[in-house]
Amino acid sequence: MTPERIPLPQARRIALAAQGFADPRPAQATALQLRRMLDRLNLFQIDSVNVLARAHYLPAFSRLGAYDPDWLDRAAWGARRERRMFEYWAHEASLLPLALHPLLRWRMDRADRGEAGYGRMRVVATERRAEALALLARIRAEGPLAASEFESGRPGWWEWSEPKLMLEWLFYAGHVTTATRRRSFERVYDLTERVIPPAVLALPTPDPAEAQRGLVAHAARALGIATAADLRDYFRLSPADGDPAIAALVEDGVLRPVQVSGLPPAYLHRDARRPRRITARALLAPFDPLVWERTRAERLFGFRYRIEIYTPAEKRQHGYYVLPFLLNERLVARVDAKADRQAGRLLVPAIHLEPDAPPETLPALHDELGLLATWLGLAWEGAWPEVDRD
């Protein structure tokens, strides 16, 4: 059967609808809507940068507007009975719905055997396993502990200490998970069975192939329309793991091969919505799932986006922490934003408009920045920096 041809504008609308941008923002967000948003996206990526707000808080704001971040904190790191999420390596470090825990146990098992992770972590799993299990025994005896409570000195910015390396292997292998996060955002580890609710741990463990099909199906629903590389990237699956899962889902009718101008061969989820138009307004974190796969963002939206945090200041093109601005069906601007918490102000050092940004871009962006400032509890005077048009 010849794959269906889907015009690029329609593919954009399908992708935006799958990501939650076809629905109007609620007048007042609720904790239930936050949980539903997590179930739609499958994960909130975690990042250590806190220039504006930590990355895991921003995708829900982009889609729901102002919500109470305490809802997310309690769902992620609250009392066991309140838990709705767990931390794990999915698309980088991530917060995930508890229902996905069984689908990632194969990855934990591989890490436990020393078959996953980079070289030093594999060494911990094999040659230095006894040392790591000694740390696990201390957590079992003493309760939740952070890496700093095992360390005699402070590691460098780019280098994990030996205890931290071993704790991260225990985390990757599923022996421990995150009990809570300290004010500094330092992870505090505890035994998985003391953190994850018993009902979740009791869920059956699928075999790896079944679990990988499940992960690709979740990715496909969240993306709507995607290439094989996009589908694998969502949960960081290798071609060896992801491609058989994609083929099986095509055979089952969950995925339908399609052709989109400018894209490699793509797949449409059978339940993907096809709205005629999208009316949306959102500032997107650099780690938002709509734009985290930069090649996909460029193909779908004609928007070439790179994060410039690690670029020397004099070589930055758009700013330090730049948020793409979505207006309706297009990415129309880039906003460099910063929270000056000491002064209680939202700073906007730079704004760059795309060449084809419509006239209503700046008024819409003004409103969105005002909403962002209110949500963050910051003052914003509404003054514009000099606006550049790329």
Side-chain angles (χ1 to χ4, degrees):
M1 181 180 295
T2 303
E4 178 186 359
R5 292 183 178 273
I6 295 182
L8 184 59
Q10 186 182 40
R12 281 196 293 266
R13 292 192 292 271
I14 291 170
L16 288 166
Q19 283 282 300
F21 291 108
D23 303 319
R25 282 177 174 167
Q28 186 170 352
T30 66
L32 177 59
Q33 288 168 325
L34 175 65
R35 291 198 295 271
R36 287 175 175 168
M37 183 56 60
L38 175 65
D39 290 339
R40 179 195 290 268
L41 301 182
N42 298 292
L43 59 87
F44 295 147
Q45 185 174 336
I46 299 170
D47 190 78
S48 60
V49 175
N50 193 22
V51 174
L52 181 66
R54 294 203 183 274
H56 55 280
Y57 294 115
L58 286 166
F61 168 77
S62 299
R63 293 155 178 80
L64 299 177
Y67 73 97
D68 188 346
D70 284 345
W71 296 337
L72 193 153
D73 290 342
R74 290 197 299 271
W77 303 296
R80 198 178 191 190
R81 64 182 181 279
E82 296 180 299
R83 294 274 173 145
R84 298 292 184 275
M85 310 179 198
F86 72 105
E87 283 191 39
Y88 193 60
W89 290 97
H91 185 96
E92 304 297 335
S94 306
L95 283 168
L96 303 108
L98 287 170
L100 292 189
H101 190 273
L103 299 186
L104 289 160
R105 291 174 189 163
W106 63 273
R107 182 171 287 171
M108 299 173 191
D109 290 342
R110 285 187 184 177
D112 186 59
R113 295 191 300 267
E115 298 171 0
Y118 61 90
R120 288 179 68 203
M121 193 171 285
R122 294 182 185 223
V123 170
V124 172
T126 53
E127 300 172 26
R128 305 185 65 185
R129 189 181 189 93
E131 297 173 69
L133 293 180
L135 271 60
L136 180 64
R138 184 175 163 190
I139 292 172
R140 180 176 288 112
E142 299 181 24
L145 294 170
S148 59
E149 293 169 282
F150 292 90
E151 295 166 351
S152 57
R154 188 172 182 82
W157 180 258
W158 293 109
E159 182 180 359
W160 282 350
S161 67
E162 292 298 294
K164 175 67 173 176
L165 173 65
M166 293 178 186
L167 288 166
E168 283 299 306
W169 170 72
L170 290 169
F171 177 85
Y172 197 15
H175 297 295
V176 300
T177 190
T178 307
T180 190
R181 290 273 186 168
R182 291 180 174 167
R183 185 176 294 274
S184 63
F185 208 56
E186 183 182 21
R187 179 183 282 151
V188 179
Y189 304 86
D190 198 3
L191 303 181
T192 298
E193 59 265 31
R194 293 200 298 227
V195 176
I196 303 295
V200 175
L201 295 176
L203 293 172
T205 300
D207 65 55
E210 182 183 353
Q212 290 150 10
R213 287 195 298 273
L215 291 174
V216 171
H218 280 283
R221 187 182 295 274
L223 293 171
I225 191 167
T227 66
D230 299 334
L231 293 170
R232 295 193 305 263
D233 175 73
Y234 210 87
F235 289 101
R236 293 290 201 252
L237 297 175
S238 69
D241 292 328
D243 289 347
I246 293 170
L249 291 169
V250 171
E251 186 174 350
D252 291 344
V254 177
L255 297 180
R256 298 170 182 170
V258 294
Q259 293 181 352
V260 181
S261 176
L263 269 67
Y267 301 90
L268 179 75
H269 191 279
R270 65 184 175 193
D271 297 329
R273 295 169 60 186
R274 303 192 189 199
R276 293 185 176 182
R277 64 180 61 85
I278 298 287
T279 303
R281 188 188 80 192
L283 288 162
L284 304 171
F287 309 105
D288 190 288
L290 185 67
V291 294
W292 67 27
E293 214 304 299
R294 309 306 192 207
T295 301
R296 183 172 189 262
E298 190 165 356
R299 286 171 174 160
L300 278 178
F301 296 96
F303 189 85
R304 190 175 190 277
Y305 178 49
R306 302 293 183 271
I307 189 167
E308 299 180 85
I309 291 174
Y310 306 115
T311 302
E314 66 276 8
K315 296 184 179 181
R316 288 182 196 132
Q317 184 178 0
H318 298 110
Y320 183 77
Y321 195 76
V322 174
L323 286 73
F325 181 52
L326 172 70
L327 185 60
N328 300 327
E329 300 173 15
R330 295 158 55 195
L331 297 172
V332 297
R334 306 158 197 258
V335 182
D336 188 17
K338 177 180 180 180
D340 183 347
R341 296 180 181 87
Q342 186 172 0
R345 297 172 58 222
L346 175 66
L347 305 180
V348 184
I351 294 174
H352 293 81
L353 299 183
E354 293 298 285
D356 57 351
E360 62 268 24
T361 297
L362 288 179
L365 180 54
H366 185 280
D367 291 345
E368 192 65 13
L369 285 168
L371 180 64
L372 175 67
T374 300
W375 178 60
L376 294 174
L378 302 173
W380 182 56
E381 292 82 0
W384 293 107
E386 182 177 350
V387 177
D388 291 327
R389 187 176 288 272
D390 290 342

